């Protein structure tokens, strides 16, 4: 009995009165996972502000779904901002407002102590940006904060044996960045982060319709096209879809039908940037690690990996087996929650220069 009591640290005791949360601070979506409860929050990383200011609308409540609805449809006085758009924090104050809102929403008001949080951040962000994320979480009331690099969280969430002496490789295609990492023994051996991902696919679709048909469409429509008929490799049955937008010449609303073949063509550029990043990362790996990957293959995570045929083009270009993670959109968040559960054991083994 005494032994058991001795093992209960003060930290764990506090844990009974607060909630521990893992946060995937993504460029498109922010997810929060709570120990024992799974994913409790999944909202777009969008904030609506009064134009020209950093003032969040509705007393700081216009965040997430509420704000995303406003994207592209805001009246003159409001703008809906994605503070992490290109994988960097473009706006510190707004990121802070957003993170604070999500943390408070999950933590609730009933808890006595602030939560312990593990936040995954894109591996490409600078030390200053990491500090900003940390400070935001602190101001939002977090009691203890750990930052973990996104590929590590993704690998944990995807169930890769990343802490073992064998190489595993993860490719996380998000909205703003694609993160590619080869890991072994709990650390990142090689990693690359490129600012080409799902958003760039949407932009490629927008520019294709503009160039080819003089049709202007919004970001939301472009994303819908990508999800509905987009592909990286030829499909068994090609598809078509009706789209609506504004004619650039007459200025009037117009609709037309587009095909999956032309969308695939339009997606070539962002896709080849992603493929190049993957092959470049492989080229930088030590031969022993490469050898492991012949057996272990590559795991895909992130929403962008859901594009049809993404796995097959990566497999063709690398010669390795490529597997899509279960539920790629929640992989990182689930990884942060598992990280939290194993904090005591992993804290020292994992490369973690980000605990303050
Ligand atoms: P982040 O980590 O940057 O927030 P996510 O992992 O949440 O990004 O992925 C968001 C991206 O995934 C968006 O660009 C979205 O359009 C894309 N996405 C989501 N579902 C699909 C799908 N079925 N097919 C293609 N892309 C998708
Ligand atoms: Mg992500």
């Amino acid at each position: 009995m005494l032994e058991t009591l001795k093992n209960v640290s003060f930290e764990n005791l506090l844990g009974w009165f607060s909630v521990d949360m893992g946060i995937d601070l993504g460029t498109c979506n922010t997810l929060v996972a709570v120990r024992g409860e799974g994913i409790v929050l999944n909202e777009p990383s969008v904030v609506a502000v009064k134009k020209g200011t950093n003032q969040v609308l509705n007393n700081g409540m216009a965040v997430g779904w509420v704000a995303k609805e406003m994207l592209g449809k805001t009246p003159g006085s409001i703008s809906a901002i994605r503070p992490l758009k290109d994988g960097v924090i473009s706006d510190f104050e707004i990121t802070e407002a957003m993170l604070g809102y999500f943390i408070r929403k999950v933590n609730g008001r009933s808890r006595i102590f602030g939560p312990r949080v593990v936040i995954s951040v894109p591996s490409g962000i600078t030390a200053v940006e990491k500090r900003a994320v940390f400070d935001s979480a602190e101001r939002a009331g977090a009691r203890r904060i750990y930052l973990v690099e996104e590929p590590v969280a993704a690998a944990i969430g995807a169930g890769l044996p990343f802490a073992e002496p064998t190489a595993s490789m993860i490719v996380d295609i998000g909205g703003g960045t694609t993160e590619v990492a080869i890991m072994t023994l709990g650390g990142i051996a090689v990693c690359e982060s490129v600012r080409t991902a799902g958003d760039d696919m949407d932009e490629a679709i927008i520019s294709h319709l503009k160039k080819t048909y003089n049709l202007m469409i919004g970001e939301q429509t472009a994303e819908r096209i990508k999800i509905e008929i987009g592909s990286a490799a030829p499909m068994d049955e090609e598809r078509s879809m009706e789209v609506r937008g504004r004619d650039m010449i007459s200025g009037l609303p117009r609709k037309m039908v587009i095909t999956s073949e032309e969308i695939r063509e339009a997606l070539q550029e962002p896709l080849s940037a992603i493929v190049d990043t993957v092959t470049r990362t492989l080229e930088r790996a030590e031969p022993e690690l490469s050898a492991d990957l012949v057996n272990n293959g590559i795991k895909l995570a992130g929403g962008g990996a859901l594009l049809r045929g993404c796995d097959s083009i990566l497999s063709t270009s690398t010669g390795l087996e490529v597997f899509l993670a279960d539920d790629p959109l929640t992989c990182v968040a689930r990884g942060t929650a598992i990280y939290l559960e194993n904090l005591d054991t992993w804290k020292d083994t994992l490369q973690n220069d980000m605990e303050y």
Side-chain angles (χ1 to χ4, degrees):
M1 180 64 189
L2 210 59
E3 266 314 291
T4 342
L5 271 180
K6 257 195 251 162
N7 289 333
V8 178
S9 64
F10 182 59
E11 203 38 49
N12 284 340
L13 255 166
L14 280 182
W16 292 348
F17 299 100
S18 73
V19 58
D20 282 350
M21 52 179 108
I23 304 178
D24 168 10
L25 185 61
T27 59
C28 268
N29 302 299
T30 297
L31 284 79
V32 180
V34 165
R35 180 151 66 173
E37 292 175 38
I39 310 277
V40 295
L41 180 142
N42 183 350
E43 300 209 30
S45 309
V46 182
V47 181
V49 297
K50 207 181 257 175
K51 202 160 221 157
T53 70
N54 281 338
Q55 229 179 310
V56 183
L57 293 181
N58 302 348
N59 295 325
M61 302 305 270
V63 177
W65 288 115
V66 183
K68 183 164 186 185
E69 304 269 289
M70 299 182 186
L71 265 186
K73 290 184 184 167
T74 53
S77 58
I78 299 173
S79 46
I81 296 183
R82 288 178 51 192
L84 293 141
K85 197 161 177 69
D86 294 306
V88 291
I89 297 180
S90 59
D91 196 308
F92 291 112
E93 277 180 62
I94 293 174
T95 304
E96 180 176 331
M98 183 176 83
L99 194 57
Y101 172 79
F102 289 142
I103 291 179
R104 279 187 295 269
K105 191 165 176 183
V106 172
N107 199 41
R109 288 170 202 287
S110 58
R111 312 275 179 171
I112 305 169
F113 301 105
R116 281 197 308 179
V117 300
V118 169
I119 306 177
S120 95
V121 291
S123 61
I125 74 172
T126 63
V128 175
E129 290 172 328
K130 283 177 190 163
R131 185 76 229 181
V133 171
F134 185 90
D135 290 345
S136 309
E138 194 165 52
R139 272 194 285 268
R143 166 168 53 92
R144 206 87 179 75
I145 301 147
Y146 308 86
L147 302 190
V148 52
E149 309 235 23
E150 184 166 332
V152 174
I156 299 173
L160 293 180
F162 81 107
E164 282 159 37
T166 180
S168 35
M169 181 165 185
I170 190 106
V171 176
D172 177 353
I173 310 174
T177 58
T178 296
E179 315 245 338
V180 183
I182 299 175
M183 277 158 286
T184 181
L185 288 168
I188 294 179
V190 205
C191 87
E192 297 238 356
S193 167
V194 61
R195 288 180 181 173
T196 304
D199 289 344
D200 302 85
M201 299 182 199
D202 303 348
E203 268 155 39
I205 293 173
I206 293 177
S207 99
H208 165 73
L209 292 184
K210 199 165 18 175
K211 270 196 295 215
T212 322
Y213 304 112
N214 286 317
L215 185 73
M216 286 284 279
I217 57 163
E219 285 174 20
Q220 310 268 60
T221 304
E223 184 183 29
R224 226 173 305 126
I225 296 172
K226 172 183 70 179
I227 293 175
E228 234 170 85
I229 65 169
S231 62
M235 296 192 268
D236 293 340
E237 216 171 295
E238 297 293 345
R239 303 187 192 180
S240 60
M241 177 180 171
E242 187 181 85
V243 294
R244 299 181 183 85
R246 176 161 57 88
D247 189 286
M248 288 167 69
I249 298 171
S250 69
L252 299 174
R254 173 157 78 92
K255 63 177 184 183
M256 62 171 297
V257 172
I258 53 168
T259 67
S260 52
E261 284 98 333
E262 63 183 300
I263 294 304
R264 183 159 60 244
E265 188 58 38
L267 294 177
Q268 280 316 304
E269 208 179 299
L271 284 173
S272 62
I274 293 171
V275 169
D276 287 349
T277 311
V278 174
T279 49
R280 211 167 44 239
T281 312
L282 281 166
E283 282 160 15
R284 288 176 49 212
E286 294 291 333
E288 290 295 340
L289 298 180
S290 308
D292 289 342
L293 293 176
V294 172
N295 287 333
N296 300 346
I298 302 176
K299 196 79 143 190
L300 292 185
L306 285 167
L307 184 77
R308 292 172 197 82
C310 210
D311 47 354
S312 79
I313 57 159
L314 282 170
S315 173
T316 312
S317 52
T318 60
L320 296 173
E321 273 194 282
V322 177
F323 310 93
L324 188 61
D326 289 337
D327 202 359
L329 279 160
T330 63
C331 220
V332 171
R334 286 183 285 114
T336 55
I338 299 171
Y339 182 87
L340 200 55
E341 270 170 45
N342 295 281
L343 210 53
D344 297 332
T345 30
W346 285 350
K347 219 164 30 186
D348 305 321
T349 44
L350 285 176
Q351 291 176 340
N352 195 340
D353 54 337
M354 295 186 284
E355 185 194 338
Y356 294 82

